[in-house]
Amino acid sequence: SVINNDQEDIDVMFDVIETPGPDGESGGILEVLGIRPQNGVPHKDNPRKLRIPAKSTLDAEIALLSPADEATDRRKVSTGATITAEDPDGRMQYTQDPLLVSITNPRA
């Protein structure tokens, strides 16, 4: 859920910061593909942007992408993902706890 306590609608940009997983994997294998209101559609011009109506709470779904990486020869990689949200004034909020993301490489 994303909360907007302001008197005006705001557009918020989402990103991801990675931290090493339980086996010490390095970050840099995830990116935000897009975010959308729950059961809605992504922003038409920038899928990483979400419009939050004034004085409201919006449930949202985020999609993370792990680009193909030939250097990753392991079958499975785990990493921590902290989701960030930045408003137009540059204020940033973070998820309280990192998500544990496991990526399986079917070619390994």
Side-chain angles (χ1 to χ4, degrees):
S1 294
V2 184
I3 301 168
N4 178 6
N5 292 321
D6 288 344
Q7 299 291 334
E8 298 178 7
D9 296 354
I10 58 170
D11 289 322
V12 180
M13 288 291 290
F14 286 80
D15 207 347
V16 61
I17 298 172
E18 288 182 65
T19 54
D23 296 325
E25 295 89 345
S26 60
I29 57 174
L30 288 177
E31 58 187 70
V32 173
L33 179 62
I35 188 161
R36 67 181 187 181
Q38 189 172 21
N39 301 318
V41 296
H43 191 279
K44 68 178 182 171
D45 297 324
N46 186 341
R48 292 179 44 227
K49 186 184 288 187
L50 184 66
R51 175 155 287 219
I52 315 297
K55 296 286 186 184
S56 68
T57 299
L58 185 66
D59 289 333
E61 300 169 332
I62 191 165
L64 301 176
L65 175 68
S66 175
D69 183 1
E70 297 300 326
T72 304
D73 57 357
R74 289 176 285 179
R75 178 93 176 126
K76 185 175 178 183
V77 175
S78 296
T79 187
T82 299
I83 307 301
T84 66
E86 184 174 359
D87 71 12
D89 293 329
R91 295 176 295 198
M92 191 173 288
Q93 296 291 320
Y94 304 85
T95 51
Q96 184 173 354
D97 297 311
L99 306 170
L100 177 61
V101 179
S102 295
I103 301 160
T104 302
N105 182 351
R107 292 176 281 158

